[in-house]
Amino acid sequence: MILYNNRLIDREEARVDIEDRGYQFGDGVYEVVSVYGGKIFRLQEHLDRFEYSANQIGITLPVSLENLSENLHKLIAHHELSDGQIYYQVTRGYAPRNHPFPENPQPVLTGYVTRKPRPVEAMKNGVAAIITDDIRWLRCDIKSLNLLGSVLAKQKAAEAGAYEAIQHRDGVVTEGSASNLFMVKDGKLHTHPLGNLILGGITRIVVLEIAKKLGIDVVESSFTLSELAEAEELFLTSTTSEIMPIVTLDGKPVRSGAPGSVTKLLQEEFEGLL
Ligand code: PMP
């Protein structure tokens, strides 16, 4: 079963018109939530961001957030999902192809369960990252279906045998193709400030909360590629990658080339929240 607006239906029954604006223009927004032990992690934050993204592009959600939340839980129950993810999205729906918004849009909301295992080994050992230009648009705060910039960056990483691509604009580091980036320097956590150049990650929020609790200083201001090269520790955060140590950058080890102590401490605390 999958979620289709306010109903759960068989996947085979779901129908998307070839002129759905999500399909033709990437005209929609989405979320990915993690499920641990049958519970959705930080659901309220994901619902709020979904509504924010939709609002920012003028889509009125076809269901209330309460209804959406109820149906996400029904999906979990139906699939007896203990650990996994739910992907959900809304598009502006079907209309004869034309760039401006249609007069009476009928947004289409869909959602379904996935069961990707937690990347346990990668979180323990760390991963490789490459650096690439941030070629995305200037509203990265919207979790838009338009993901070509991210797709191309991630593909570049994949071709280099790396897990993630760290993006920069004119030498200023923004975020990963599908993750936020943190750097540890002089014992402090550094990450790009919120704004239009990055997605306000939910895992980013959780890491900032943990840092506050542990008394780790946080600097929310942008840093450059040369500062990145001097990092004591690097990690990325996302719903599916959680807190992921980066141990090589463009093939060069980050310090010792192993996950750092601050990163490991944050990972431990994060685990305690699941
Ligand atoms: N930035 C981008 C560009 C992303 O695609 C993601 C993953 N959705 C994130 C950051 C991390 O966000 P979250 O922690 O909410 O998954």
Side-chain angles (χ1 to χ4, degrees):
M1 300 283 260
I2 62 123
L3 173 60
Y4 193 95
N5 284 345
N6 58 1
R7 298 184 297 142
L8 296 199
I9 61 174
D10 283 332
R11 183 163 179 163
E12 292 69 32
E13 251 185 76
R15 181 177 174 281
V16 175
D17 195 276
I18 59 165
E19 282 185 302
D20 186 285
R21 293 178 62 96
Y23 187 54
Q24 292 194 321
F25 296 113
D27 189 356
V29 297
Y30 74 105
E31 281 295 324
V32 179
V33 295
S34 271
V35 175
Y36 299 103
K39 292 211 175 71
I40 301 174
F41 186 66
R42 298 292 182 129
L43 175 59
Q44 193 55 50
E45 283 91 336
H46 283 282
L47 292 173
D48 290 346
R49 185 172 65 185
F50 189 53
E51 189 176 46
Y52 170 80
S53 295
N55 275 340
Q56 291 301 305
I57 63 166
I59 288 182
T60 307
L61 295 179
V63 299
S64 66
L65 292 184
E66 292 72 29
N67 177 276
L68 174 56
S69 162
E70 220 170 90
N71 281 324
L72 295 178
H73 288 101
K74 280 188 191 159
L75 267 184
I76 291 174
H78 175 82
H79 291 276
E80 295 179 359
L81 183 68
S82 171
D83 296 289
Q85 306 79 26
I86 303 176
Y87 173 93
Y88 57 94
Q89 67 169 42
V90 64
T91 75
R92 207 179 304 276
Y94 155 79
R97 188 177 184 281
N98 195 15
H99 286 63
F101 298 173
E103 273 191 7
N104 289 305
Q106 307 284 325
V108 176
L109 186 146
T110 50
Y112 63 99
V113 157
T114 59
R115 294 176 190 270
K116 281 187 213 144
R118 294 177 67 194
V120 177
E121 278 301 300
M123 288 194 286
K124 197 166 130 221
N125 302 324
V127 295
I130 59 155
I131 296 169
T132 191
D133 272 342
D134 194 337
I135 63 164
R136 300 172 304 162
W137 71 332
L138 293 171
R139 288 305 306 275
C140 295
D141 54 315
I142 299 171
K143 202 160 166 60
S144 150
L145 294 180
N146 278 277
L147 287 174
L148 255 192
S150 299
V151 166
L152 294 181
K154 196 76 153 194
Q155 177 60 17
K156 214 166 161 186
E159 283 169 14
Y163 185 91
E164 181 57 302
I166 295 173
Q167 305 172 105
H168 71 93
R169 289 189 194 265
D170 294 326
V172 175
V173 177
T174 51
E175 62 178 344
S177 72
S179 59
N180 292 114
L181 179 73
F182 285 81
M183 162 174 94
V184 179
K185 206 170 178 192
D186 301 323
K188 289 184 185 160
L189 271 187
H190 296 252
T191 196
H192 196 286
L194 294 178
N196 65 313
L197 298 182
I198 66 160
L199 183 75
I202 309 302
T203 324
R204 179 184 182 280
I205 297 174
V206 177
V207 165
L208 294 181
E209 285 174 9
I210 296 174
K212 194 168 179 196
K213 182 184 156 208
L214 296 179
I216 300 169
D217 285 338
V218 176
V219 185
E220 282 185 81
S221 53
S222 57
F223 50 88
T224 63
L225 285 176
S226 32
E227 290 170 286
L228 181 73
E230 303 278 293
E232 286 154 21
E233 299 179 30
L234 286 178
F235 62 88
L236 56 88
T237 63
S238 82
T239 295
T240 48
S241 295
E242 301 181 6
I243 298 175
M244 183 63 78
I246 296 171
V247 292
T248 69
L249 201 52
D250 277 344
K252 292 185 235 44
V254 176
R255 294 291 161 110
S256 67
S261 55
V262 176
T263 308
K264 287 199 276 195
L265 193 59
L266 294 167
Q267 283 180 316
E268 250 172 59
E269 285 287 325
F270 186 85
E271 195 77 34
L273 300 175
L274 307 182

